Amino acid sequence: VRDLMRSGVIKPSDKPIWFDVYTAFPPKKDPLYVKPQARTYGKKKDTVSDIFYKEDEIRAKFYERYGTGPRPFDLSKSNFVSTSQRFVQKYNELERLGEVDESALFEETGKALLAEDIVLRRRGAPMVSPESREPTLELKLTDMLAEQSVGPVESQEKAAHPPQTSSPNS
């Protein structure tokens, strides 16, 4: 307060009532307030408990089974909905309807998304199963070029009369 009065911020007529007493009888020690610290012994316990929502459990099971998916999240779009979020929404919708048994609900949600053209690929599973592959995909480029160089008439004859292989018993 003394320095504020010297600088002219506080007028002498506006000085506090206690100022004259304080200047006449100053304390022996400068008053300094130190906040007392609470003493803690041992390891400090975490008071915040873990918060888990039902969606978190569904999403964790989804990521465990299907992984993160073939493409990254597109966070530049404000209306982007991830595959896992669609899965959770469909799961909750099917659960609300109550038509599906609780144990089969996860599988039925995957089937429902497949019906909506959202393909979920299990972790570690091949993209296309070998049984569903087209036999023409197995052709090699050299075989295709050889067929083209032979000509259409000869390739039809080869297809009609496949070459005979002699067996060791004959």
Side-chain angles (χ1 to χ4, degrees):
V1 175
R2 179 193 63 193
D3 293 336
L4 292 174
M5 288 175 48
R6 284 183 188 168
S7 65
V9 175
I10 297 179
K11 298 176 189 169
S13 60
D14 294 335
K15 69 181 176 186
I17 299 172
W18 52 264
F19 182 72
D20 291 330
V21 175
Y22 188 85
T23 53
F25 304 102
K28 293 181 180 175
K29 285 183 167 180
D30 285 333
L32 180 65
Y33 179 75
V34 178
K35 183 178 178 182
Q37 294 183 353
R39 294 184 183 213
T40 56
Y41 297 102
K43 194 171 189 178
K44 188 175 182 181
K45 293 184 179 180
D46 191 15
T47 58
V48 178
S49 61
D50 294 333
I51 300 172
F52 289 109
Y53 295 100
K54 184 164 177 146
E55 294 96 24
D56 296 336
E57 294 172 9
I58 298 166
R59 199 171 278 115
K61 193 172 177 183
F62 172 85
Y63 283 122
E64 182 180 309
R65 180 157 309 161
Y66 298 112
T68 57
R71 56 186 173 171
F73 293 154
D74 188 6
L75 299 177
S76 63
K77 296 180 182 175
S78 61
N79 60 351
F80 176 76
V81 179
S82 67
T83 308
S84 65
Q85 183 61 32
R86 289 182 187 190
F87 188 90
V88 169
Q89 289 170 348
K90 183 56 85 173
Y91 186 97
N92 288 335
E93 179 183 326
L94 292 175
E95 187 178 43
R96 225 178 301 114
L97 293 174
E99 298 172 359
V100 182
D101 184 33
E102 188 71 31
S103 61
L105 188 58
F106 197 84
E107 293 297 326
E108 290 300 319
T109 304
K111 291 176 185 175
L113 287 178
L114 185 61
E116 294 177 6
D117 293 332
I118 299 174
V119 179
L120 301 175
R121 188 172 71 94
R122 287 187 185 239
R123 234 181 201 182
M127 286 291 266
V128 179
S129 63
E131 299 82 30
S132 66
R133 278 194 145 175
E134 187 79 27
T136 55
L137 294 175
E138 299 298 325
L139 289 177
K140 294 182 180 174
L141 182 61
T142 54
D143 296 340
M144 291 173 54
L145 292 174
E147 282 184 19
Q148 286 181 352
S149 65
V150 170
V153 175
E154 293 177 13
S155 65
Q156 288 176 356
E157 289 175 7
K158 281 186 178 181
H161 304 291
Q164 298 287 330
T165 56
S166 60
S167 63
N169 295 341
S170 332

